[in-house]
Amino acid sequence: MLLKLENVKKDYGTFKLDCSIEVKRGQVTGLVGSNGAGKSTTFKSILGLIFPDSGDIEMFGKKLNEITPKDKEKLGVVLTEANTFDYLRAKDLVNILKAMYKSFSETDYIAKCHQYKIPLDKTIKDFSTGMKAKLKLIIALSHDAELLILDEPTAGLDVIMRNELLDMLREYMEDDRRGILISSHISTDLEGLCDDIYMIADGKIVIHEETDVLLSEYGVLKVTEEQYEGLDREYIMATVKEKFGYLCLTNRKEFYQENYPQLAIEKGNIDDLIMMMGKGGRK
């Protein structure tokens, strides 16, 4: 196990976190939820930027307070709000990264900068948003990290840039010693990358599911008020009232297809989870 959060709690008064998550070797795990759901608080707890009130966090099989500087070298991090040494050039980072990470590979770093068209002699503050995002990820990948913690790494990027970053992550995961915890508002990125998905709402994990199961077995029923009254709701996870009637999220789409062939049933996706579970209509 690369990372394990067990009943991690943080009480801010107006917001409370109560979170359990696991990231296994050889897997990419996604954390999704609406703004304010608790993703950032979870990431900050993992990275020791805030201290939980209770619960346990383990990384590389050790409690966070037992993690050594050598252990920290096995961690790669990309945070949305983190700057990227704006007044330096990409080549200036080589000596900094050498000092920070014993396993830093200058050869790989330079090669990836060339591969992904990162200019080595240009000041980073003059980079485009996409170039800065790629450089952040190249830095995180430059020292043979075993675990990546990625908070919205593709935010604000166009399709081409996003695909380049996702290709970098797929290449990284060719080594099954490694793992990734990633959050993103772009559901298609996660659906094509993640092995499993955690959904957080109001500070609590409300769904944990393998991505393949989510995409094949989850669905959204569109029902009138009359149809809703006659509906077996045993497998309904969340309900949202609409003008025409109700939207109902289920993790047993096949049950409703077989027993209610007259209903309009759409294939589920991550956006449906975020919208419906985040609106407070969940059971």
Side-chain angles (χ1 to χ4, degrees):
M1 190 72 65
L2 284 170
L3 178 67
K4 183 176 182 179
L5 283 72
E6 189 170 6
N7 300 319
V8 172
K9 298 182 179 181
K10 183 69 177 179
D11 188 346
Y12 286 110
T14 56
F15 173 81
K16 295 180 181 180
L17 180 75
D18 184 355
C19 182
S20 297
I21 289 176
E22 293 183 355
V23 180
K24 299 176 181 177
R25 292 185 185 274
Q27 290 197 351
V28 181
T29 294
L31 180 62
V32 302
S34 58
N35 290 334
K39 299 190 300 297
S40 294
T41 304
T42 301
F43 275 66
K44 289 176 181 177
S45 297
I46 294 168
L47 298 173
L49 301 176
I50 61 173
F51 298 100
D53 300 324
S54 61
D56 294 310
I57 300 177
E58 293 184 7
M59 192 181 296
F60 311 121
K62 297 181 178 180
K63 304 286 188 183
L64 275 193
N65 59 5
E66 299 172 345
I67 295 292
T68 66
K70 185 176 181 180
D71 293 322
K72 290 180 180 178
E73 292 194 23
K74 297 188 289 185
L75 179 65
V77 179
V78 174
L79 299 177
T80 305
E81 67 269 19
N83 62 43
T84 328
F85 308 99
D86 279 355
Y87 289 92
L88 298 176
R89 298 165 297 177
K91 72 177 184 181
D92 297 329
L93 298 181
V94 170
N95 288 332
I96 296 172
L97 294 169
K98 276 183 180 178
M100 291 176 66
Y101 303 107
K102 291 180 182 178
S103 55
F104 170 73
S105 171
E106 180 178 355
T107 302
D108 288 348
Y109 172 79
I110 297 296
K112 275 192 167 58
C113 284
H114 286 312
Q115 180 181 354
Y116 292 101
K117 297 180 174 58
I118 301 298
L120 294 171
D121 292 308
K122 188 176 181 179
T123 306
I124 294 170
K125 69 179 178 65
D126 296 322
F127 281 15
S128 68
T129 300
M131 288 163 59
K132 286 183 179 180
K134 287 192 287 185
L135 179 59
K136 284 182 183 181
L137 187 53
I138 289 170
I139 291 170
L141 297 173
S142 68
H143 51 91
D144 195 29
E146 293 182 19
L147 173 63
L148 296 185
I149 304 292
L150 308 177
D151 183 18
E152 300 285 350
T154 61
L157 305 186
D158 61 32
V159 173
I160 294 174
M161 289 284 191
R162 290 199 341 258
N163 284 338
E164 287 186 348
L165 261 70
L166 294 173
D167 285 343
M168 292 169 70
L169 296 177
R170 292 186 183 99
E171 181 181 348
Y172 167 83
M173 285 304 299
E174 289 175 2
D175 186 335
D176 61 12
R177 297 176 302 127
R178 298 168 171 169
I180 299 173
L181 177 63
I182 180 172
S183 73
S184 177
H185 279 97
I186 304 170
S187 61
T188 51
D189 289 352
L190 298 184
E191 289 171 0
L193 180 68
C194 293
D195 297 285
D196 63 334
I197 299 285
Y198 286 87
M199 163 77 186
I200 189 168
D202 300 324
K204 294 184 178 182
I205 300 298
V206 293
I207 291 178
H208 175 221
E209 194 65 87
E210 292 181 5
T211 309
D212 288 346
V213 171
L214 191 158
L215 296 178
S216 63
E217 298 183 15
Y218 281 59
V220 177
L221 286 59
K222 293 186 174 182
V223 299
T224 64
E225 293 197 18
E226 183 180 354
Q227 289 172 328
Y228 183 74
E229 291 303 320
L231 191 67
D232 181 341
R233 296 173 218 163
E234 182 178 357
Y235 305 115
I236 298 300
M237 305 175 67
T239 301
V240 175
K241 184 75 172 70
E242 296 286 343
K243 290 181 179 180
F244 65 84
Y246 295 91
L247 294 176
C248 301
L249 179 70
T250 179
N251 58 354
R252 292 281 302 275
K253 179 179 62 178
E254 189 174 316
F255 171 83
Y256 292 98
Q257 288 173 329
E258 291 177 353
N259 292 282
Y260 299 89
Q262 75 279 14
L263 295 185
I265 304 175
E266 295 182 352
K267 182 178 178 181
N269 56 45
I270 292 173
D271 286 338
D272 292 329
L273 290 187
I274 295 172
M275 186 275 289
M276 298 193 66
M277 300 297 284
K279 275 192 173 182
R282 59 188 182 275
K283 288 185 175 179

